[in-house]
Amino acid sequence: MLKTLQQAMATDRDYPARTARVQWLGGVLDGSMYECLPYEFHEETEPSGAYIPLAERRPSVRYNLCRVIVNDSVSMLFSEGHFPTPQADDEETAHALVKVIADSKLNEVMVDAATRGSVGSVAILMRVLGNRAFFSALPTAYLSPAWRPDAPDVLESVTEQYKVKGAALAAQGYDVVALYKAGVTVKQPPGRGVKVDVLADAMAADFWFRRVWDAGAENWYLPWPVLSDKPVEPAIDTERTVKHGLGFVPMVWVRNLPGGDDADGACTFEAAISTQVEIEYQLSQAGRGLKYSSDPLLMIKEPPTGNGNLIKGANALVVSKDGDAKLLEISGSAAGAVVEYARALRSFALEVVGGNRADADKLATAQSGRAMELMNYALISLADRLRASYGEGALLDLLYMVVKASQKFPLTDKHGRPIPKMNPAAEVTLNWPRWYAPTAVDRQNDATTLKTLRDSNLISQETAIANVADDYDIEDVAEEVARIEGDQDKAMQRLADMTPDDSREDGHGHMPVPKGDGGGE
């Protein structure tokens, strides 16, 4: 069935082979992979009476297991409670990066990027507009990366090229007639009063659109006809080209998981696609059987009566002694068997790809964070591998880009407030929170452990606070330390104000001995 779907999907041979693969996986992810099939599931016969095979019908039940796998893994990666906190050896740089992340909504962008990139790859573009940093996730079906020969992990350029109709170009302000004539020879047919409608041909024609990002600019090219009969050398569109002058390609190319090639990593859900198709068709068939069981088919064996007419009583059909009538029914127990089969298939698929197999109905009580980690070890293992690609790889590279861009542009937030200056020599790292939010018991155990370590002078107060910063939503550890010291100073001052003068320490740091104590005399 999977091969049938892939063969039914229309492919354009003008594109690289990876384009068709990425588009196919994208269709699985968004649920559009069945749109290439011509019939709905309830259409069992053609108007001529010919039977329509199941392979040509779209299932009526959609259970996008692959999307469930992606959503679960991405939620463990970049949800609100799992997004990492940037840290740097320069406190002002770390504080500035936190502000940029919040202002640009980078959390949402990374969720979008990890979802799109589950097919194998995704590109994240950074732009600085009006002294503000913006990020966007780009699908890579029509993108091609080029790497520096002396640094294979550094982008030299990224090329975007795809087909677009002339009418769409005209809506963007292009002179499509001039672009069409530049690549196609227009011949007037012989005969009086006959003229070629060049505008209509240009509007309906396919054009190549190209855009290239490099270390100096975002280069736009003038579109040219796909079916050109003249040699066409793509020319730079100087009006739309933007020179950023950053000195690096403002884009991060993310390969999803280890494996694949230079452009694409391994897909998150590819191993579960065939199982998803099987589940959807089985459930569709089960639904079809339930509809038949609620509307059974009547079969009558001739002759029903002597004169050929049916006689219907209150709750019965009256036939002759030679006639017969039966209701063809389907047992409803078959639907239950299909559902159990679908559940088993789902469990097998999640086991293969590392999805979440926990059943909320079987959790009688709240579990500790550690217990949840053990129960969902496979999902955490998958999210941990994704951290290497989207966190330590993509997100960290984006933050370094922000630091570099801040040296060229005075960054501000959307309210016009300046972002603190960043040190280009600062070393930036990511502090990831726990996989699961700690329970009250977990927090009590942490507090006891940290207090013991702190009292034994094995860790500093700042390290102890950093350890629980994510659990208590502490954005700036140094500022929290200053607040604690301020609270301690205030407490000491209140204690001093409440202590009588004669019981305070003397000038040498010794407490005076009260009179009448005896002192051993």
Side-chain angles (χ1 to χ4, degrees):
M1 187 63 201
L2 196 59
K3 289 292 184 183
T4 302
L5 284 172
Q6 291 176 327
Q7 293 172 359
M9 181 179 176
T11 58
D12 192 333
R13 297 185 181 274
D14 290 336
Y15 291 112
R18 66 171 294 270
T19 299
R21 170 180 166 79
V22 172
Q23 288 179 330
W24 156 250
L25 293 173
V28 175
L29 186 63
D30 62 22
S32 63
M33 63 176 173
Y34 297 111
E35 299 305 317
C36 58
L37 300 181
Y39 300 102
E40 295 290 347
F41 196 79
H42 67 275
E43 298 178 290
E44 301 179 6
T45 58
E46 296 181 356
S48 62
Y51 176 74
I52 301 174
L54 287 177
E56 298 181 11
R57 293 187 248 164
R58 297 188 288 272
S60 58
V61 178
R62 303 291 177 89
Y63 175 67
N64 198 333
L65 177 63
C66 294
R67 184 73 184 204
V68 172
I69 294 169
V70 171
N71 288 344
D72 286 345
S73 60
V74 172
S75 67
M76 294 295 293
L77 187 65
F78 286 127
S79 65
E80 178 64 25
H82 293 93
F83 197 81
T85 302
Q87 294 181 337
D89 49 12
D90 179 75
E91 295 182 2
E92 193 171 8
T93 300
H95 185 61
L97 290 175
V98 170
K99 287 185 174 296
V100 171
I101 290 174
D103 182 68
S104 62
K105 297 181 180 179
L106 188 54
N107 190 346
E108 298 179 12
V109 176
M110 294 308 298
V111 170
D112 185 30
T115 302
R116 292 176 182 268
S118 62
V119 301
S121 60
V122 69
I124 307 174
L125 174 66
M126 183 192 77
R127 295 178 296 168
V128 179
L129 305 174
N131 292 333
R132 291 182 60 201
F134 294 90
F135 303 91
S136 57
L138 306 178
T140 60
Y142 303 118
L143 297 179
S144 301
W147 309 94
R148 284 175 47 181
D150 59 335
D153 60 343
V154 178
L155 284 173
E156 185 174 52
S157 65
V158 176
T159 301
E160 179 185 39
Q161 184 167 313
Y162 57 88
K163 294 179 181 179
V164 62
K165 289 292 184 182
L169 293 175
Q172 297 296 322
Y174 286 96
D175 186 353
V176 292
V177 174
L179 296 174
Y180 184 74
K181 289 182 177 181
V184 177
T185 301
V186 180
K187 298 179 179 179
Q188 293 293 342
R192 294 181 179 180
V194 179
K195 295 186 69 176
V196 174
D197 191 349
V198 181
L199 177 60
D201 291 344
M203 289 289 192
D206 288 324
F207 290 80
W208 284 114
F209 172 82
R210 177 184 291 179
R211 183 168 45 166
V212 179
W213 290 270
D214 57 28
E218 179 182 321
N219 301 290
W220 290 55
Y221 288 79
L222 291 173
W224 67 97
V226 173
L227 301 176
S228 299
D229 57 8
K230 301 178 183 178
V232 177
E233 185 67 27
I236 292 286
D237 187 348
T238 55
E239 294 183 2
R240 293 176 173 83
T241 294
V242 179
K243 296 186 179 299
H244 53 75
L246 291 172
F248 58 88
V249 180
M251 186 181 293
V252 173
W253 189 277
V254 190
R255 297 171 68 253
N256 185 57
L257 286 171
D261 51 30
D262 289 341
D264 301 305
C267 176
T268 302
F269 55 83
E270 190 169 10
I273 297 177
S274 58
T275 305
Q276 174 185 319
V277 174
E278 175 72 6
I279 289 175
E280 291 175 338
Y281 273 97
Q282 286 290 342
L283 293 178
S284 298
Q285 281 284 70
R288 180 181 177 215
L290 289 174
K291 293 183 180 68
Y292 283 149
S293 64
S294 62
D295 184 19
L297 182 66
L298 175 65
M299 186 189 75
I300 300 175
K301 182 178 179 181
E302 293 289 351
T305 58
N307 56 7
N309 297 322
L310 288 174
I311 302 175
K312 184 176 181 181
N315 292 306
L317 290 173
V318 180
V319 298
S320 67
K321 65 178 181 178
D322 296 326
D324 192 10
K326 298 178 180 178
L327 289 176
L328 302 183
E329 296 182 276
I330 297 177
S331 174
S333 61
V338 171
V339 172
E340 289 300 318
Y341 175 57
R343 287 177 178 170
L345 291 177
R346 174 184 181 275
S347 179
F348 295 155
L350 292 177
E351 182 179 4
V352 170
V353 300
N356 182 11
R357 292 189 293 159
D359 189 350
D361 295 336
K362 296 180 180 180
L363 296 177
T365 59
Q367 303 293 318
S368 68
R370 180 57 180 166
M372 294 295 292
E373 288 182 16
L374 294 175
M375 184 171 60
N376 294 325
Y377 175 77
L379 176 62
I380 291 176
S381 178
L382 173 60
D384 196 29
R385 284 179 288 155
L386 292 173
R387 275 185 178 182
S389 300
Y390 293 93
E392 305 300 332
L395 181 56
L396 204 55
D397 286 347
L398 288 174
L399 296 180
Y400 274 116
M401 285 184 183
V402 171
V403 174
K404 294 177 182 178
S406 68
Q407 310 307 307
K408 188 175 181 62
F409 303 100
L411 299 180
T412 63
D413 62 12
K414 63 182 178 181
H415 301 292
R417 295 172 298 197
I419 301 293
K421 292 184 178 181
M422 292 177 242
N423 183 4
E427 182 178 357
V428 182
T429 58
L430 298 177
N431 181 28
W432 294 89
R434 300 184 184 188
W435 291 112
Y436 289 96
T439 62
V441 175
D442 293 331
R443 294 189 179 190
Q444 179 63 41
N445 292 336
D446 289 343
T448 302
T449 302
L450 292 174
K451 183 179 184 303
T452 302
L453 294 173
R454 179 70 186 92
D455 293 342
S456 302
N457 292 324
L458 296 176
I459 62 173
S460 65
Q461 184 179 28
E462 187 171 354
T463 301
I465 295 174
N467 191 270
V468 296
D470 294 319
D471 298 337
Y472 294 92
D473 199 20
I474 300 173
E475 295 184 358
D476 192 330
V477 175
E479 183 178 350
E480 188 69 18
V481 171
R483 290 177 180 174
I484 293 174
E485 292 176 350
D487 291 342
Q488 290 175 346
D489 292 341
K490 292 179 181 178
M492 292 295 294
Q493 184 62 44
R494 286 197 299 268
L495 181 61
D497 293 340
M498 296 172 59
T499 304
D501 293 339
D502 57 355
S503 64
R504 295 181 185 173
E505 295 179 356
D506 59 17
H508 300 285
H510 301 289
M511 293 296 294
V513 179
K515 295 179 180 180
D517 183 59
E521 296 180 358

